């Protein structure tokens, strides 16, 4: 139905004109016809007719000009959206997380630098749905627009690395220039990646720990069944099985000890030990304690440590665990070299800070370079079978790393395949220790 289309042929001439102008033109046309008629009938002098026409023109056109100026101003105000004000942009820019302000249709009004970096496809004036195409996000946006309630969705980015974000869409009522409110939406992204990684690590850890415990437990219960059944009256078999059961029970106990030690060190990770301890007698105590193992593996331990005390701020028990793990590993995995050198030296770190370095060097098979970065991960072993055969738990180096972190130290691992490995525990030398 074309309500505005005038059927009158005269009106149709003016139809493309604005309403007010059209009315003025019709009045002027009618006035011109009437005045021309009066002039032709000699009822009016042409000059007077012209003066009257001018007055009528002024009366018809001036209000139209005034009206169009007011209408233009109103139109400008209507388009001046308060959410596009610089203050609003500054607020969005100031949000530390990626943040995007959307209009009621989901079109981007403003986005901060973090959001532009996170989702480069987001563009001002374009629909956010086009840039964030996952169905979950599109549904959340649609629901937030429809219900004006907060909606959440998950945003998963694969490039350049896996990232998980929680996307929160908060409807924001914005006052308009005419006293009403317009609905906008503030979309913010919260990085859940670190939490997710911790969660994955925790799940992996529980799975690994359960697996490690289940293996000796299964062996124990298998031997118990055998001892109660077929080997009941076989003293020789009983002796042998009891020996294996003892080894498996020891392995379980060791695993539980390592797990407890790890969790203790983690709990106190933020508390740096402040007692000064002399590392020389600690190294001697460990090498003496491992002498039987060295003899059994036919390895000679050469110890090069100063006669004078060398002190660090540390926890004695934890330092014992560090040296025990490193030297025992050298004896177990590097036995074929026949030699292990334990040395202590005072050096300077890359940051020019004085430090104490305790190095354990063996001459065994060494470690292939691809394994080096992962050696301190929990339960990581180069050869699981070999580690188990040696009574290993896969937690030793992880424990060493945690203890060194707590001491604000670091672990250096160097290895040349077929030419042995060297593990160096570095401890910062405390000021008071240097003074003594
Ligand atoms: P484990 O209880 O298995 O010994 P660790 O965390 O102490 O666990 O060591 C992890 C792995 O690193 C070991 O299983 C072994 O494969 C490797 N490794 C550690 N020390 C040495 C070494 N001196 N020479 C060769 N391989 C080593």
């Amino acid at each position: 139905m074309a309500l505005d289309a005038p059927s009158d042929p005269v009106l149709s001439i003016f139809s493309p004109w604005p309403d007010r102008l059209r009315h003025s033109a019709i009045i002027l046309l009618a006035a011109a016809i009437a005045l021309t008629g009066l002039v032709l009938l000699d009822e009016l002098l042409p000059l007077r007719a012209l003066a009257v026409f001018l007055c009528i023109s002024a009366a018809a056109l001036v209000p139209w000009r005034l009206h169009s100026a007011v209408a233009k101003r109103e139109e400008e105000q209507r388009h001046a959206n308060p959410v596009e004000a610089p203050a609003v942009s500054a607020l969005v820019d100031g949000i530390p997380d990626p943040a995007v302000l959307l209009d009621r249709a989901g079109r981007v009004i403003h986005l901060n630098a973090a959001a532009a970096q996170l989702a480069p496809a987001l563009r001002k004036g374009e629909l956010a749905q086009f840039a964030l195409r996952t169905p979950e996000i599109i549904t959340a946006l649609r629901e937030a627009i429809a219900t004006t309630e907060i909606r959440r969705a998950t945003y998963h980015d694969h490039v350049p690395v896996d990232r998980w974000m929680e996307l929160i869409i908060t409807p924001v009522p914005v006052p308009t220039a005419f006293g009403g409110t317009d609905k906008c939406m503030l979309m913010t992204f919260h990085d859940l990646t670190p939490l997710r990684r911790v969660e994955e690590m925790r799940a992996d850890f529980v799975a690994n720990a359960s697996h490690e415990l289940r293996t000796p437990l299964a062996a124990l219960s298998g031997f118990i069944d055998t001892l109660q059944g077929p080997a009941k009256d076989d003293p020789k078999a009983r002796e042998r099985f009891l020996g294996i059961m003892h080894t498996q029970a020891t392995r379980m106990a060791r695993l539980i000890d390592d797990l407890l030690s790890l969790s203790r060190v983690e709990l106190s990770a933020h508390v740096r030990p402040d007692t000064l301890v002399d590392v020389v007698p600690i190294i001697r105590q460990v090498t003496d304690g491992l002498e039987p193992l060295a003899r059994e593996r036919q390895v000679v331990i050469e110890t090069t440590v100063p006669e004078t005390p060398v002190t660090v701020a540390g926890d004695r028990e934890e330092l014992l665990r560090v040296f025990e793990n490193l030297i025992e590993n050298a004896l177990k995995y590097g036995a074929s070299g026949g030699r292990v050198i334990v040395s202590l030296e005072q050096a300077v770190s890359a940051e020019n800070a004085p430090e104490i370095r305790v190095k354990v060097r063996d001459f065994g098979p060494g470690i292939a370079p691809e394994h080096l970065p992962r050696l301190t991960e929990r339960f990581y072993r180069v050869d699981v079978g070999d580690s188990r055969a040696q009574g290993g738990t896969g937690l030793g180096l992880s424990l060493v790393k945690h203890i060194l972190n707590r001491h604000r130290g670091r672990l250096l691992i160097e290895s040349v395949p077929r030419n042995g490995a060297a593990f160096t525990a570095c401890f910062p030398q405390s000021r008071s220790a240097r003074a003594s």
Side-chain angles (χ1 to χ4, degrees):
M1 198 167 48
L3 278 179
D4 289 341
S7 50
D8 189 314
V10 178
L11 289 182
S12 67
I13 297 170
F14 304 112
S15 60
W17 298 12
D19 273 358
R20 291 275 174 150
L21 185 58
R22 196 164 63 218
H23 295 157
S24 303
I26 292 168
I27 292 167
L28 289 178
L29 183 69
I33 292 169
L35 289 169
T36 312
L38 288 172
V39 170
L40 289 177
L41 293 172
D42 280 340
E43 290 293 328
L44 200 61
L45 285 173
L47 209 60
R48 281 192 185 162
L50 185 65
V52 172
F53 184 73
L54 286 176
C55 290
I56 294 172
S57 302
L61 289 174
V62 167
W64 174 75
R65 286 294 311 154
L66 282 178
H67 173 267
S68 65
V70 170
K72 198 173 164 202
R73 211 168 39 244
E74 281 178 4
E75 190 67 10
E76 278 170 7
Q77 279 181 350
R78 217 186 332 271
H79 285 282
N81 190 343
V83 291
E84 286 176 15
V88 177
S89 311
L91 271 177
V92 176
D93 285 340
I95 297 174
D97 285 332
V100 186
L101 189 65
L102 307 171
D103 68 10
R104 59 161 68 222
R107 214 168 275 117
V108 176
I109 299 171
H110 192 76
L111 73 166
N112 64 11
Q117 196 185 6
L118 176 75
L122 279 171
R123 299 258 155 66
K124 267 191 184 182
E126 288 182 12
L127 289 172
Q129 291 94 314
F130 288 163
L132 313 166
R133 285 162 185 266
T134 60
E136 198 192 345
I137 296 179
I138 293 173
T139 311
L141 266 170
R142 207 175 291 144
E143 285 181 7
I145 294 167
T147 62
T148 63
E149 285 169 12
I150 292 186
R151 285 287 180 270
R152 290 163 198 269
T154 312
Y155 177 70
H156 185 192
D157 195 10
H158 302 277
V159 181
V161 283
D162 270 343
R163 284 175 84 181
W164 288 268
M165 315 285 277
E166 185 187 29
L167 193 150
I168 304 177
I169 305 162
T170 316
V172 194
V174 178
T176 63
F178 302 102
T181 51
D182 199 0
K183 278 171 220 133
C184 287
M185 282 169 297
L186 183 65
M187 188 163 75
T188 46
F189 298 75
H190 300 280
D191 197 350
L192 299 180
T193 316
L195 274 179
R196 194 97 178 209
R197 294 251 154 83
V198 169
E199 186 50 37
E200 275 176 7
M201 275 168 64
R202 195 194 59 80
D204 280 358
F205 177 70
V206 171
N208 280 324
S210 321
H211 176 76
E212 291 296 326
L213 282 170
R214 208 179 296 124
T215 314
L217 197 63
L220 277 178
S221 67
F223 284 119
I224 290 170
D225 286 347
T226 316
L227 286 174
Q228 283 175 332
K232 205 169 170 185
D233 304 315
D234 182 345
K236 260 191 175 167
R238 193 169 57 221
E239 238 0 79
R240 198 161 61 83
F241 292 160
L242 282 175
I244 300 172
M245 286 168 76
H246 182 259
T247 311
Q248 297 298 338
T250 311
R251 187 175 147 198
M252 282 177 73
R254 207 175 158 157
L255 184 66
I256 290 165
D257 273 357
D258 281 356
L259 285 172
L260 288 175
S261 303
L262 250 181
S263 106
R264 251 196 313 272
V265 175
E266 272 181 341
L267 278 178
S268 57
H270 55 284
V271 191
R272 188 178 174 181
D274 54 6
T275 318
L276 288 183
V277 286
D278 181 2
V279 281
V280 176
I282 299 178
I283 295 172
R284 290 206 187 283
Q285 181 181 339
V286 175
T287 47
D288 290 351
L290 287 171
E291 206 41 59
L293 179 66
R295 259 199 310 277
E296 184 194 310
R297 303 288 162 106
Q298 298 177 336
V299 179
V300 177
I301 304 178
E302 298 167 21
T303 314
T304 322
V305 290
E307 294 300 321
T308 49
V310 179
T311 47
V312 296
D315 180 309
R316 197 173 181 285
E317 285 307 310
E318 289 184 3
L319 295 182
L320 270 171
R321 295 302 297 266
V322 168
F323 304 139
E324 221 168 55
N325 268 301
L326 296 182
I327 301 171
E328 198 179 317
N329 275 352
L331 294 175
K332 287 189 314 194
Y333 303 109
S336 58
R339 247 175 106 199
V340 168
I341 303 173
V342 182
S343 57
L344 187 158
E345 61 168 14
Q346 303 195 28
V348 178
S349 73
E351 293 79 37
N352 217 17
E355 61 182 15
I356 306 288
R357 291 184 186 169
V358 180
K359 186 171 183 175
V360 180
R361 164 91 165 99
D362 69 67
F363 298 85
I367 305 158
E370 66 267 24
H371 296 294
L372 297 182
R374 300 197 58 191
L375 279 188
T376 55
E377 282 177 25
R378 291 162 192 199
F379 297 111
Y380 187 85
R381 284 106 145 198
V382 175
D383 179 336
V384 179
D386 184 27
S387 158
R388 288 208 180 125
Q390 306 276 8
T393 60
L395 292 173
L397 290 178
S398 174
L399 186 60
V400 167
K401 186 186 82 176
H402 277 85
I403 293 176
L404 289 176
N405 284 348
R406 187 179 166 225
H407 284 74
R408 307 297 181 261
R410 65 209 160 95
L411 179 68
L412 301 178
I413 308 175
E414 300 154 274
S415 176
V416 178
R418 289 186 293 280
N419 194 24
F423 289 76
T424 311
C426 307
F427 302 90
Q429 199 171 9
S430 63
R431 236 172 252 152
S432 39
R434 267 180 279 148
S436 64

